[in-house]
Every structure is written in structure tokens, then in C-alpha cells.
Amino acid sequence: MKRAFGIFIFLFGIIFSNLSASENFQTVEPKDATLVKTDSSKEFCNVCAMHLTKYYKTNHVAEFKNGHKEQYCSLHCLAEVHKNHAEKIKNIQVVDTRSLKLIDALKAYYVVGSSKEGTMSSSSEYAFFTKEDAEKFKKEFGGEIHNFNETLKLTKDKLSKDNESIDEKRVPIAIKGKKIFESMCDVNQIKEFNSIGEAKQYLIDNNTCKNLDAQMLQAVSVYLYNPLYAIDKSKMINIHEDSKCPVCGMFVSKFPKWVAQIQLEDGHNHYFDGVKDMMKFYFNPTKYHANTNEQISQINVTDYYSLELTDGKKAYYVIGSNVYGPMGEELIPFKNKDEAQKFMTDHFGKSLVSFDEIKEEMLK
């Protein structure tokens, strides 16, 4: 078994090395790179967790108003943060492609769409301190010259399309990351992460995995950030993108790891962003504008570990743990009672109940 896993890791290394493109135009020697972070994440992008030196020529640095600094491998990753937190950012720097020094992004000249490969993007964005350097680069490699704000807007406009392509590439990495995580890591140390970089830093700081090289660590981080990459979607609760929870009004498709469902005999479905809201509806359907004559045919929940559709009336629920769902404290569902009991121990759950033991007062 160990020999087979060793062969798998060897083959994975070959596959991942091709995907990571370690010998890119963006790559520089570590001695030539300026890295501004000082914690355990200092060598990788906080958003995608890719190595900053390997993609250095497209690096951006954001200094926040609270004094904190983050370094990103690309304008794409900076844009992911900027779209929601622009008001918190004090200033932005970018690497000058020619000198490799950090310069004020607002004063830089960007060559967009050259023949040189982009980082996390379908088209490249390389910055220069002088317009003359940008013109020389454009003459040799093509593209168009823009200022920072114009380039940022172009990047934001194609974020969704670029992310679709990135997600496709992450699927095989996450599948391998899942196998590595289950074989070489403490599977109980799993939580929600806002980015791949956050997942990687958590793994490093908490010593969650043993003897992982850089490629394996990246794969596990990709998987933990979004286990859905490695899941057979056909085994999950199928939900429409525009479905809203009748209790809280949120779009349920944004929380696929927490979806619960009530199926009615007339074929209609109610979707919820967690078991707690589903049970609020279950106990008081008319409060949420349901018809009094609705007849339930099936209740489904999402198993916490496998993320697979599970019969809600046969599931087990942990209440009062330190794991939170979209609506805060949650009833965490499990298909397997032993897994539920272990989760309760590991995550300080207060009680373990079956469906029939759930009482309305527990939801408060």
C-alpha cells in the first residue's frame, strides 16, 4: 500500500510540475525578489497560494489602512480583494518588469495582452516604471498600454470568465489533494477558508500535515479551500442558481456545502442554506408563506464530510459545535453516527440528536 502511494506521489509530482509552470517568464531568482510579508505566508499569494517568486514579475502589493501589507502573485488576485475591500486599501505597488523593483501602481504603465503568458489571467498584464520601457516591451511582444485604473477595470471585467478556467484546472489538483489530505493529514483539523492562501497558512501554522513537499501542500490547500472541486456533483443536492432560502432570503447556491432541501408531493422544492433554517420552516411553514396543505415527501441534507445528499430523517445532527454555517451556529448533519460522535468530540459539540429529537427551542 505504501509503495502504491509512493508511486502516486511521484506521478502527481510530474503532473503538478507541468501545471505549476515553474520556469515562466514571470520567474526570478529569490535574491532578486522583494517580499514584504513577514509571517508564514510571506512566500505565497494570500489568495491563490502560488509562490510569489515564481510569478514575481506580475506581483502586486497592497498596503491597507490598518498598516497590514499583502502581496499577490497577480493583478487578478489583487482584483479579487479589491472588488470587495477597495475602501480599506491605502496604496498599491506593482513590480517593474524591467528593474524588478516595487513601484507605485498608479504611476505605472501596463502592457496588457502581450504574447507573454499571464498569471491567473487569460491575458497578461506587465507593468513598467517608464512609458519608454512599456513601448519597447509592446514593440517586441505586442499588447496595449494602459494606466493602472484602466488595467484593473479590464481585469475585474473578466474575473468570472478567468475563474471558470482556473476552477477547471484546479479539479485534478484538488482530487489529488483530497487523497493526500486523507492519507497524511489530521482530517479533524478542517474548517472553512476564504482563500487557498488562508488554507495553506493554516496548514503550516497548525502542523496539520506531515512530510508534505511544496506541491503536495498546494494541492491539499486547494482541496481544503473548496472540497467541491473533488466531489462528484451528481451525488450532491441539485439546486438552481436563483433559489432563495424562504427563511432568510439568501441565495442558497452560494452555500453548496450546507444546502438542505424539503421536497413536496406536488413536485415543488424548498431549499435552505442550512439545517437550522430548514427546521425553522419545518416547524412553522406558514410563517414563511408556505401553503397550509403542503405535503412533504422527502427531506434531504448535506453530509458534512462527504457533501453528499443524505436522507434528513435518517441523519444525525451535532448541535453547539465551534463550526459555523452561513447563518452562524448550525445543526451539523452526518450520515454516519460514528463520524458525528467523533466530530462532536473534536469540535466541542454540546449534543448529538436524531431528526425526531430536534426540538424547536434548540433552534434559538
Side-chain angles (χ1 to χ4, degrees):
M1 179 66 182
K2 289 183 177 179
R3 183 174 181 275
F5 187 73
I7 293 173
F8 156 72
I9 293 299
F10 173 74
L11 293 175
F12 168 63
I14 295 175
I15 295 171
F16 192 88
S17 63
N18 290 332
L19 290 171
S20 64
S22 59
E23 298 300 328
N24 290 331
F25 172 73
Q26 304 98 310
T27 304
V28 301
E29 293 294 328
K31 64 181 178 60
D32 297 323
T34 300
L35 304 180
V36 304
K37 296 190 290 183
T38 58
D39 60 15
S40 56
S41 70
K42 63 184 178 181
E43 294 185 341
F44 56 84
C45 174
N46 182 257
V47 173
C48 69
M50 295 203 304
H51 201 282
L52 292 170
T53 305
K54 288 183 178 179
Y55 301 92
Y56 182 72
K57 290 181 183 177
T58 54
N59 274 201
H60 285 69
V61 172
E63 180 183 3
F64 293 83
K65 292 178 181 178
N66 63 3
H68 179 71
K69 289 185 177 181
E70 279 295 343
Q71 192 158 349
Y72 307 98
C73 70
S74 61
L75 186 58
H76 173 99
C77 288
L78 171 64
E80 290 282 11
V81 176
H82 194 278
K83 68 182 181 181
N84 296 318
H85 305 289
E87 74 285 352
K88 298 178 182 178
I89 298 175
K90 181 180 179 180
N91 59 61
I92 298 170
Q93 293 178 297
V94 62
V95 170
D96 171 27
T97 305
R98 183 174 180 274
S99 70
L100 304 184
K101 303 299 183 182
L102 289 171
I103 61 175
D104 186 343
L106 289 175
K107 298 179 180 179
Y109 298 89
Y110 281 78
V111 178
V112 179
S114 72
S115 60
K116 289 299 183 181
E117 59 267 40
T119 304
M120 304 290 289
S121 173
S122 54
S123 62
S124 59
E125 304 100 357
Y126 288 96
F128 296 87
F129 181 65
T130 69
K131 190 173 183 179
E132 181 183 6
D133 286 339
E135 292 283 5
K136 288 180 180 178
F137 186 86
K138 173 186 173 181
K139 184 176 181 180
E140 186 173 358
F141 302 109
E144 297 295 332
I145 296 178
H146 294 275
N147 62 32
F148 171 75
N149 288 323
E150 292 169 343
T151 308
L152 180 62
K153 183 180 185 305
L154 290 170
T155 299
K156 285 183 175 180
D157 288 345
K158 58 187 177 66
L159 273 179
S160 295
K161 185 176 180 180
D162 281 344
N163 282 334
E164 288 179 7
S165 176
I166 291 168
D167 286 345
E168 289 180 7
K169 294 177 182 178
R170 283 175 177 163
V171 169
I173 298 173
I175 291 173
K176 293 170 177 62
K178 181 177 186 291
K179 293 178 181 178
I180 295 169
F181 178 70
E182 292 174 347
S183 301
M184 304 177 68
C185 305
D186 181 357
V187 296
N188 294 311
Q189 290 196 44
I190 185 169
K191 58 191 287 289
E192 297 285 315
F193 298 102
N194 295 314
S195 69
I196 298 173
E198 184 181 294
K200 180 182 277 191
Q201 187 170 9
Y202 178 86
L203 293 175
I204 294 171
D205 292 345
N206 292 277
N207 199 27
T208 305
C209 305
K210 304 294 184 182
N211 303 317
L212 298 190
D213 62 25
Q215 295 168 353
M216 296 160 67
L217 181 61
Q218 177 73 8
V220 173
S221 302
V222 170
Y223 164 66
L224 290 184
Y225 161 64
N226 191 353
L228 294 177
Y229 287 139
I231 297 297
D232 181 352
K233 305 287 193 303
S234 67
K235 295 182 180 180
M236 300 178 66
I237 295 176
N238 184 26
I239 181 171
H240 300 293
E241 287 189 6
D242 58 351
S243 296
K244 287 186 177 182
C245 173
V247 174
C248 70
M250 294 202 298
F251 284 102
V252 180
S253 60
K254 292 183 178 180
F255 311 100
K257 292 182 280 188
W258 297 95
V259 175
Q261 175 190 42
I262 290 179
Q263 295 180 329
L264 304 178
E265 290 183 354
D266 64 5
H268 184 72
N269 294 305
H270 293 299
Y271 296 98
F272 308 87
D273 49 14
V275 173
K276 181 171 65 175
D277 275 0
M278 180 186 75
M279 295 308 298
K280 288 181 180 179
F281 181 93
Y282 179 81
F283 287 121
N284 291 289
T286 56
K287 180 179 179 180
Y288 304 102
H289 308 292
N291 296 324
T292 55
N293 60 347
E294 286 187 348
Q295 298 297 314
I296 296 174
S297 64
Q298 179 67 32
I299 293 177
N300 297 315
V301 296
T302 301
D303 176 71
Y304 180 77
Y305 284 126
S306 70
L307 302 185
E308 294 180 358
L309 180 153
T310 299
D311 187 331
K313 291 193 173 182
K314 296 180 180 178
Y316 301 91
Y317 301 87
V318 174
I319 299 175
S321 74
N322 61 359
V323 174
Y324 294 86
M327 296 298 292
E329 290 190 27
E330 189 55 85
L331 286 75
I332 315 291
F334 297 87
K335 183 188 306 183
N336 182 284
K337 188 175 183 179
D338 290 339
E339 289 183 348
Q341 289 175 327
K342 191 171 190 319
F343 174 90
M344 184 170 72
T345 300
D346 294 335
H347 294 279
F348 311 102
K350 295 179 181 178
S351 58
L352 173 63
V353 297
S354 66
F355 181 86
D356 292 334
E357 292 172 327
I358 299 174
K359 306 300 180 184
E360 189 172 1
E361 54 267 24
M362 296 177 180
L363 309 179
K364 302 176 182 179

